[in-house]
């Protein structure tokens, strides 16, 4: 009798869509994770209910590099969690620059402020606690050089539409999780997957911007405003 080898299907429950060995290789061939971020990474996995929401080493270095390339004066972040990505984005700020970051969960405030002090970026970060849409309406006077969207996924398209006019020409919008565990290009048809497909499809035909999806972790959409 001929034995048929079963092919293991990818685990769509994990955030990384890449092969774990490739992910490890990438992390060992980029800049090392700063010590403060190592501690935040470790503490997040020890103390938070959903630690996989953390950007992590490789994606963090990507955010840092993009920020350093843009050299922003003002950064907008929607969804702070434990502040890992916030600190990475702050690495590229010009002299006197600020990251305006919005976190809905008030229970995270003490953790965030402690983490910002640990990384010595507390003077470069303006933390807002509250509903992102409410906070955004109060920031109408600001024009941002870079924005990172990594909050409640059902509102991604709404956030994009709310901030596109707040981004300067040549500025970037970065949206996380756009490959949605690989489900957007598969047969899945649940509500969340449909929302991500709508987001990606809408931005793909938007003539105000240039766009590129990078297969980093769960998919990172990099958008440049023309």
């Amino acid at each position: 009798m001929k034995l048929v080898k079963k092919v293991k299907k990818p685990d769509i429950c994990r955030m990384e869509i890449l092969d774990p060995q490739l992910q490890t290789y990438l992390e060992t061939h980029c800049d090392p994770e700063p010590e403060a971020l190592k501690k935040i990474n470790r503490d997040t996995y020890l103390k938070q209910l959903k630690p996989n929401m953390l950007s992590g080493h490789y994606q963090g270095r990507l955010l840092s590099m993009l920020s350093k390339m843009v050299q922003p004066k003002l950064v907008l972040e929607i969804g702070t969690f434990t502040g890992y990505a916030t600190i990475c984005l702050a690495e590229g700020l010009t002299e006197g620059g600020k990251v305006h970051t919005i976190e809905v969960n008030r229970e995270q405030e003490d953790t965030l402020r402690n983490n910002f002090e640990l990384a010595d970026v507390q003077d470069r970060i303006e933390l807002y606690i509250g509903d992102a849409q409410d906070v955004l309406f109060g920031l109408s006077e600001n024009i941002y050089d870079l924005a990172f969207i990594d909050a409640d996924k059902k509102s991604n398209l709404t956030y994009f539409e709310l901030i596109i006019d707040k981004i300067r020409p040549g500025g970037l919008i970065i949206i996380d999780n756009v490959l949605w565990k690989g489900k957007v290009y598969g047969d899945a048809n649940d509500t969340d997957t449909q929302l991500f497909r709508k987001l990606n499809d809408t931005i793909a035909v938007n003539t105000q911007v240039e766009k590129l999806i990078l297969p980093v972790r769960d998919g990172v959409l990099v958008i440049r405003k023309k």
Side-chain angles (χ1 to χ4, degrees):
M1 184 176 76
K2 185 178 179 180
L3 295 176
V4 178
K5 183 179 179 180
K6 291 185 178 180
V7 178
K8 185 180 180 181
K9 294 183 179 180
D11 179 6
I12 62 173
C13 293
R14 62 186 178 89
M15 280 294 194
E16 292 80 5
I17 60 170
L18 300 178
D19 180 271
Q21 287 184 298
L22 174 56
Q23 187 67 36
T24 299
Y25 184 85
L26 294 173
E27 290 178 0
T28 56
H29 288 78
C30 68
D31 288 331
E33 192 176 29
E35 288 302 317
L37 290 177
K38 279 184 183 179
K39 185 177 188 311
I40 293 168
N41 193 331
R42 183 171 61 252
D43 288 350
T44 298
Y45 274 84
L46 287 173
K47 301 174 182 178
Q48 299 291 326
L49 290 177
K50 296 182 179 180
N52 60 345
M53 291 168 57
L54 185 91
S55 289
H57 179 190
Y58 186 75
Q59 184 174 325
R61 291 306 88 204
L62 171 65
L63 294 174
S64 174
M65 181 172 287
L66 290 173
S67 183
K68 288 172 181 174
M69 292 171 71
V70 173
Q71 296 185 311
K73 184 75 173 179
L74 277 178
V75 174
L76 174 64
E77 180 185 41
I78 304 175
T80 321
F81 191 38
T82 56
Y84 189 103
T86 320
I87 295 165
C88 295
L89 293 167
E91 292 177 15
L93 289 170
T94 58
E95 187 69 28
K98 286 270 189 180
V99 177
H100 290 184
T101 185
I102 307 168
E103 172 56 42
V104 71
N105 185 358
R106 186 168 297 279
E107 293 182 1
Q108 292 289 81
E109 184 171 0
D110 289 344
T111 295
L112 285 168
R113 297 200 184 280
N114 290 336
N115 287 345
F116 297 152
E117 287 186 16
L118 177 67
D120 196 25
V121 295
Q122 65 273 20
D123 294 335
R124 288 179 274 166
I125 295 173
E126 194 74 40
L127 174 63
Y128 301 87
I129 302 292
D131 180 85
Q133 295 188 46
D134 292 339
V135 174
L136 285 171
F137 283 119
L139 299 175
S140 58
E141 73 281 11
N142 292 314
I143 297 296
Y144 293 90
D145 305 294
L146 188 156
F148 180 46
I149 300 173
D150 188 18
D152 57 305
K153 307 311 175 186
K154 68 180 184 299
S155 301
N156 278 346
L157 185 55
T158 298
Y159 295 142
F160 171 79
E161 292 169 343
L162 284 173
I163 69 175
I164 184 63
D165 291 334
K166 299 178 186 290
I167 303 296
R168 67 162 172 84
L172 298 183
I173 299 174
I174 306 166
I175 307 178
D176 200 12
N177 302 111
V178 296
L179 293 180
W180 198 230
K181 309 166 194 171
K183 295 168 74 174
V184 292
Y185 51 85
D187 298 327
N189 205 33
D190 58 273
T191 300
D192 287 341
T193 302
Q194 291 182 54
L195 287 172
F196 272 101
R197 287 192 186 119
K198 181 179 179 181
L199 169 75
N200 295 339
D201 292 346
T202 300
I203 293 175
V205 297
N206 187 312
T207 58
Q208 288 180 279
V209 299
E210 299 169 308
K211 72 289 292 186
L212 187 69
I213 295 177
L214 303 178
V216 174
R217 271 190 96 234
D218 197 25
V220 175
L221 176 54
V222 180
I223 303 160
R224 179 182 179 272
K225 186 174 179 180
K226 294 180 181 177

